[in-house]
Amino acid sequence: MTKAIRQMKEDIKLIDLVIEICDARIPVSSRNPEIDDLARGKERIVLLNKSDLADPDATQEWVRHFEKKGIYAVSINARERKSFRAVDNIIEKAMAKKRKRDESRGIRPRPVRTIIVGIPNSGKSTFINSYAKGARAKTGNTPGVTRGKQWIRRGKSLELLDTPGILWPKFEDETVGIHLACVGSIKDQIVDTQELAVLLIEIVNGLYPDAIRDTYGIESEDAGKFIDEFADSHGCLIAGGERDIKRACTLLLTDFRAGKWGRLSIEKVAAYE
């Protein structure tokens, strides 16, 4: 972690713009808390990825929340190319002041140098691979660029610094870990899926009272009883007719992550202001 922070500090010196990708369903828990300090003094953009799975109204509230903090933000789906136009537009907006300032000083325009960061499973790799598709990695040897750094050029106006995934966040609040596990950013193999499914049901019932009931037609408001009824109705049984609760919980988590419960956000701005 210390090595990753040190490398990030060095990389930031070369950068005009820091783009951070987070999960639109959990914009707080899926952001690396180190970035605010590491990117201080740089223009910032937050890309709210997987917006196709998130509550659109909640996502727009998050966009406004970040903009109030002086951070440009836009919702995207890294798997859809139509999102790239929105990213290009927000980059132009974020860099407008710098370009105007450079022009007034007689500084010749050059490509914007940016770094894209994001915790595992935020969609960073998917976005970079799609956004820079067809671009060739090149070793920087232009003024102000440390030789040996790998840059990927998009068009004539943007260069992306190709770096390893940024460090995993150190979270002291267990809510962060729960939210990351709910969306699949923490492997199910290292969590109690039954406990996680109960917590997720309780969270969603508190925010969207009708969502799960409308999805499965099960009326029970008690998470444990709901899982029992879900197991019965979905044939989650083992030898002797006993309920296979682990399988039922795995199916419920999979359905939520795939958006089958509807477009839901489990973090709302109101809880973080």
Side-chain angles (χ1 to χ4, degrees):
M1 186 171 181
T2 301
K3 181 180 179 181
I5 292 174
R6 189 185 307 119
Q7 183 61 56
M8 182 69 171
K9 286 180 178 177
E10 290 301 310
D11 291 338
I12 284 289
K13 295 175 183 178
L14 311 174
I15 297 302
D16 302 310
L17 175 66
V18 176
I19 298 178
E20 184 179 6
I21 296 184
C22 67
D23 189 314
R25 297 167 293 180
I26 52 168
V28 173
S29 296
S30 62
R31 293 187 66 222
N32 190 317
E34 300 285 345
I35 298 300
D36 285 336
D37 286 332
L38 291 172
R40 197 177 302 278
K42 301 291 183 178
E43 292 292 348
R44 303 273 304 280
I45 292 175
V46 166
L47 301 183
L48 293 153
N49 191 29
K50 305 183 183 181
S51 60
D52 56 311
L53 299 175
D55 178 341
D57 292 333
T59 300
Q60 285 309 303
E61 287 183 11
W62 281 112
V63 168
R64 291 190 289 269
H65 170 81
F66 285 117
E67 289 179 343
K68 287 178 183 177
K69 296 175 67 174
I71 300 174
Y72 294 93
V74 66
S75 62
I76 68 164
N77 176 358
R79 298 183 182 278
E80 294 185 353
R81 295 188 63 82
K82 66 182 181 181
S83 291
F84 302 158
R85 176 64 64 86
V87 175
D88 289 339
N89 290 341
I90 204 74
I91 289 174
E92 286 298 314
K93 188 175 180 181
M95 298 309 299
K97 290 182 181 178
K98 181 183 183 303
R99 285 180 168 150
K100 188 174 181 179
R101 185 170 62 249
D102 288 349
E103 184 180 349
S104 67
R105 294 174 179 175
I107 299 174
R108 295 178 61 185
R110 61 166 175 77
V112 172
R113 296 169 187 155
T114 185
I115 186 171
I116 299 178
V117 299
I119 67 170
N121 205 41
S122 62
K124 180 175 73 75
S125 296
T126 299
F127 175 76
I128 291 176
N129 291 338
S130 299
Y131 189 59
K133 188 175 182 180
R136 295 181 179 178
K138 68 184 185 69
T139 301
N141 57 3
T142 53
V145 181
T146 303
R147 188 170 181 80
K149 293 291 181 184
Q150 293 298 307
W151 296 82
I152 298 173
R153 175 168 287 192
R154 175 176 164 83
K156 297 180 179 180
S157 60
L158 186 68
E159 291 181 342
L160 311 175
L161 180 56
D162 185 17
T163 63
I166 194 62
L167 62 156
W168 185 265
K170 178 183 178 182
F171 45 86
E172 298 176 357
D173 182 353
E174 76 169 343
T175 300
V176 172
I178 291 169
H179 289 180
L180 288 168
C182 284
V183 301
S185 288
I186 296 177
K187 293 181 180 178
D188 288 341
Q189 291 88 334
I190 61 173
V191 299
D192 183 327
T193 53
Q194 184 173 347
E195 181 181 356
L196 181 62
V198 168
L199 290 170
L200 176 60
I201 289 168
E202 291 175 346
I203 291 169
V204 171
N205 279 342
L207 295 170
Y208 304 93
D210 301 328
I212 304 177
R213 183 193 64 197
D214 290 348
T215 301
Y216 301 111
I218 298 174
E219 294 289 343
S220 179
E221 295 182 3
D222 178 84
K225 292 179 180 179
F226 172 87
I227 291 171
D228 286 344
E229 291 188 41
F230 176 87
D232 291 340
S233 64
H234 285 72
C236 297
L237 304 172
I238 55 179
E242 185 179 347
R243 294 185 182 106
D244 188 343
I245 297 300
K246 183 175 181 179
R247 180 169 170 242
C249 290
T250 298
L251 287 175
L252 285 166
L253 291 169
T254 299
D255 282 357
F256 167 76
R257 293 165 184 166
K260 291 185 179 180
W261 296 8
R263 296 179 64 179
L264 311 178
S265 297
I266 59 178
E267 290 180 354
K268 299 289 191 72
V269 168
Y272 295 89
E273 287 188 331

